């Protein structure tokens, strides 16, 4: 069974879903939510919501809730690498691929970012183009830009290019 609860944030209404004792999805405004999900604020969803709201207010830089995104082994590897990108920093798709040991996999890294079911908690917004430009984001470039600006307001955003 999947439980979901919705939280109003500065980037819109976000739905956080959990199953099996871990967060499985974060639904951005406009995302389709599973029809069979039960709207219920569990203890885990309450904690995830509090951490998310604290992140938006500048009070939290790291998330400490259990995450269980569904994806291929390669996607899981990418998402683990994304979680290592520190708050306020960015990496290029190419650099993420290189850190994973496959410098030619930048497009595949981009596809894994696109399919990230738990954005924000898994930091795909911190991945940018090799030229430093803000590139695609499931919720739209305006949301990715807003998230990067939010992290920048707490200090200088250090852009690291490959």
């Amino acid at each position: 069974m999947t439980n979901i609860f919705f939280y109003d944030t500065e980037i819109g209404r976000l739905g956080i879903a959990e199953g099996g004792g871990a967060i499985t999805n974060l639904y951005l405004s406009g995302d389709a939510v599973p029809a069979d999900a039960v709207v219920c604020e569990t203890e885990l969803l309450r904690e995830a919501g509090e951490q998310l709201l604290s992140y938006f207010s500048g009070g939290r830089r790291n998330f400490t809730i259990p995450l269980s995104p569904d994806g291929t082994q390669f996607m899981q590897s990418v998402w683990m690498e994304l979680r290592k990108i520190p708050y306020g920093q960015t990496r290029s798709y190419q650099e993420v691929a290189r850190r994973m040991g496959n410098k030619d996999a930048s497009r595949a890294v981009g596809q894994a970012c696109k399919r990230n079911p738990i954005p924000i908690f898994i930091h795909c917004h911190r991945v940018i183009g090799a030229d430093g430009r803000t590139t695609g984001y499931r919720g739209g470039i305006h949301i990715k830009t807003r998230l990067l600006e939010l992290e920048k307001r707490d200090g200088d955003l250090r852009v690291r290019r490959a």
Side-chain angles (χ1 to χ4, degrees), residues 111-130:
Q111 287 302 307
C113 288
K114 181 179 179 180
R115 290 184 175 89
N116 174 9
I118 317 173
I120 305 173
F121 292 110
I122 297 176
H123 322 299
C124 57
H125 63 279
R126 296 179 186 162
V127 184
I128 59 173

Side-chain angles (χ1 to χ4, degrees), residues 35-96:
D36 62 345
V38 176
V39 177
C40 173
E41 188 178 37
T42 66
E43 190 62 36
L44 177 59
L45 291 175
R46 182 177 301 111
E47 178 61 28
E50 287 174 4
Q51 288 188 24
L52 188 66
L53 295 173
S54 179
Y55 165 82
F56 281 115
S57 71
R60 176 172 289 276
R61 292 177 175 224
N62 298 301
F63 298 105
T64 59
I65 52 173
L67 304 177
S68 183
D70 185 35
T72 66
Q73 184 176 355
F74 178 79
M75 290 176 179
Q76 296 286 341
S77 297
V78 171
W79 299 333
M80 287 300 294
E81 192 64 35
L82 299 183
R83 292 182 73 188
K84 296 175 187 175
I85 303 172
Y87 182 95
Q89 292 186 26
T90 59
R91 301 287 186 272
S92 70
Y93 296 95
Q94 185 179 34
E95 185 173 353
V96 172

